[in-house]
Amino acid sequence: MFRPGSDAVRQGLDMARYLVTGGAGFVGSHAVLALLDRGDEVVVLDDLSQGHRAAVPAGATLVQAQLSDRAELARVFANWRFDAVLHFAALSLVGESMKSPMHYLAENLGNSVRLIEAAVEAGCLRFVLSSTAALFGKPERIPIDEDCPVAPGNPYGESKLMVETALAWAESIHGLRYAALRYFNAAGSDPAGRAGEDHNPETHLVPLAIDAALGRRPALTVFGDDYPTPDGTCIRDYVHVTDLADAHLRVLTRLETHGSCRYNIGNGEGHSVKQVLGAIERVSGRAVPHSIGPRRAGDPAVLVAASERLRRETGWAPRFGDIDKIVRTTWAWREAHPKGYGDR
Ligand code: UFG
């Protein structure tokens, strides 16, 4: 019987097959594009609760299922032989996690543990985790390198730290090799316009500010201008989602010859909220209507990554690190897709 992924079928082909959970979401869909672009085969597992069917490119197979469904997970791993799992599916809103902490811990940890277990049982011993800068809470030093102490300031960050710990146990007991990629502020859109950012509700600065400039939303509220930064607004390290996707490809290659790794991923350059608004005005020629509001609970003043380890060990170098490129690609996608993927 034909079984996709059997050695006979794969022999001689310089390609791999990956399971991508959350591949219909923002970062996941861009990673799927990057894998397909280099000729790999992709199975997306997504329950479409936050992701979008239209975000899954035609070249990928979509399995609509929940990670809580053990039987479905077992079926997926029995149907295909994967070279690695890329795990993006998660609840990821810091503010929401402060309101429903147990829900966040249970969902993110429980789903990840089931997925790790299913991968190990199927003999798939390569795993890339979408992790977060939220592990670092209010960081001890800036820029934040991988040796900075972790101390999550919210249940979302805590849940990702727990998953990293689960992976470390799977490594020491089952020989799983993993990469934990701690993203800073993912932003931007596929430069070819094939995918973009469409959250519901949208909470992120760049899409909200662009929509305000396009007149599709009310004026943006800047959350505080009394931080200890040069212009008083929070500084973040915005990293283009296509550069993030490229980091995934590189760590997949590295995992073939090296052990597990943890990387902080950002451009190493911070931009304040006001600087981001300035970039939008520069790129679009339109003003971003905004007002200054109170601080948002839990926002650290400055988060900037030190990504030297990723650069040194994988050759990663951001191609879209410039804030104007991040804004330009986001603007283009939002202008072309006034309703996002149009399914909400
Ligand atoms: N901001 C505003 N007004 C808004 C929205 C955001 O002023 O309407 C500000 C925030 O206060 C913050 C900056 O813009 O200073 C960026 O905020 P985002 O909500 O876009 O992103 P966060 O930095 O809060 O969070 C992102 C991811 C998290 C991740 C975190 C790690 O969304 O999942 O980065 O740094 F944990």
Side-chain angles (χ1 to χ4, degrees):
M1 185 186 133
F2 172 75
R3 182 169 179 261
S6 74
D7 291 336
V9 174
R10 300 285 309 283
Q11 243 171 29
L13 292 180
D14 188 22
M15 58 165 292
R17 177 180 297 112
Y18 297 107
L19 176 63
V20 181
T21 75
F26 174 43
V27 184
S29 62
H30 286 78
V32 170
L33 284 173
L35 291 167
L36 294 176
D37 284 350
R38 75 169 187 183
D40 291 328
E41 192 182 331
V42 176
V43 176
V44 168
L45 181 71
D46 200 303
D47 66 3
L48 301 183
S49 60
Q50 299 162 72
H52 311 273
R53 188 178 293 277
V56 179
T61 302
L62 172 65
V63 176
Q64 187 178 348
Q66 294 189 329
L67 282 170
S68 55
D69 187 342
R70 272 178 201 273
E72 185 61 26
L73 268 184
R75 196 187 67 77
V76 167
F77 278 100
N79 269 356
W80 290 279
R81 185 194 303 266
F82 298 110
D83 293 86
V85 175
L86 288 83
H87 181 33
F88 295 92
L91 302 175
S92 63
L93 296 179
V94 169
E96 194 179 68
S97 82
M98 295 294 282
K99 291 185 189 133
S100 312
M102 298 309 132
H103 180 54
Y104 260 67
L105 296 176
E107 278 282 306
N108 285 353
L109 181 61
N111 287 341
S112 301
V113 163
R114 273 185 294 275
L115 179 65
I116 295 166
E117 199 170 36
V120 166
E121 276 169 11
C124 175
L125 296 178
R126 302 285 182 272
F127 198 104
V128 180
L129 172 69
S130 164
S131 190
T132 174
L135 297 186
F136 295 105
K138 290 196 165 44
E140 233 174 45
R141 55 180 180 270
I142 299 288
I144 306 168
D145 57 68
E146 290 79 1
D147 298 324
C148 254
V150 287
N154 53 67
Y156 165 62
E158 186 72 53
S159 71
K160 290 286 182 171
L161 182 57
M162 288 172 160
V163 181
E164 290 197 10
T165 305
L167 285 168
W169 283 110
E171 176 190 38
S172 64
I173 295 172
H174 300 298
L176 179 93
R177 261 190 226 170
Y178 71 93
L181 305 186
R182 285 95 169 250
Y183 313 155
F184 280 60
N185 286 61
S189 292
D190 176 50
R194 297 170 296 174
E197 182 169 11
D198 182 3
H199 294 113
N200 186 23
E202 188 53 78
T203 62
H204 296 99
L205 176 65
V206 178
L208 283 179
I210 286 177
D211 281 3
L214 283 165
R216 291 184 190 151
R217 280 183 192 270
L220 180 91
T221 303
V222 174
F223 296 143
D225 67 349
D226 57 351
Y227 284 94
T229 60
D231 66 19
T233 63
C234 285
I235 292 178
R236 294 288 180 272
D237 187 338
Y238 296 89
V239 55
H240 198 288
V241 65
T242 300
D243 288 328
L244 275 182
D246 180 52
H248 288 75
L249 303 195
R250 290 170 183 274
V251 301
L252 282 169
T253 304
R254 183 178 164 84
L255 281 178
E256 289 312 309
T257 49
H258 293 75
S260 299
C261 48
R262 296 171 185 214
Y263 294 118
N264 294 353
I265 314 187
N267 289 304
E269 198 188 341
H271 291 92
S272 71
V273 174
K274 283 188 179 167
Q275 285 175 321
V276 171
L277 303 191
I280 293 171
E281 297 189 351
R282 192 164 55 240
V283 165
S284 69
R286 300 221 203 157
V288 180
H290 65 275
S291 61
I292 308 294
R295 291 183 178 194
R296 185 172 66 177
D299 270 345
V302 182
L303 287 175
V304 176
S307 296
E308 276 68 28
R309 186 183 289 179
L310 177 70
R311 290 170 185 259
R312 192 175 60 245
E313 293 185 353
T314 72
W316 181 75
R319 287 187 300 148
F320 305 100
D322 188 88
I323 190 71
D324 285 14
K325 289 185 184 165
I326 289 174
V327 166
R328 200 169 290 122
T329 54
T330 314
W331 183 281
W333 196 81
R334 297 195 87 72
E335 207 175 25
H337 300 84
K339 295 190 182 337
Y341 286 102
D343 55 355
R344 295 277 189 268

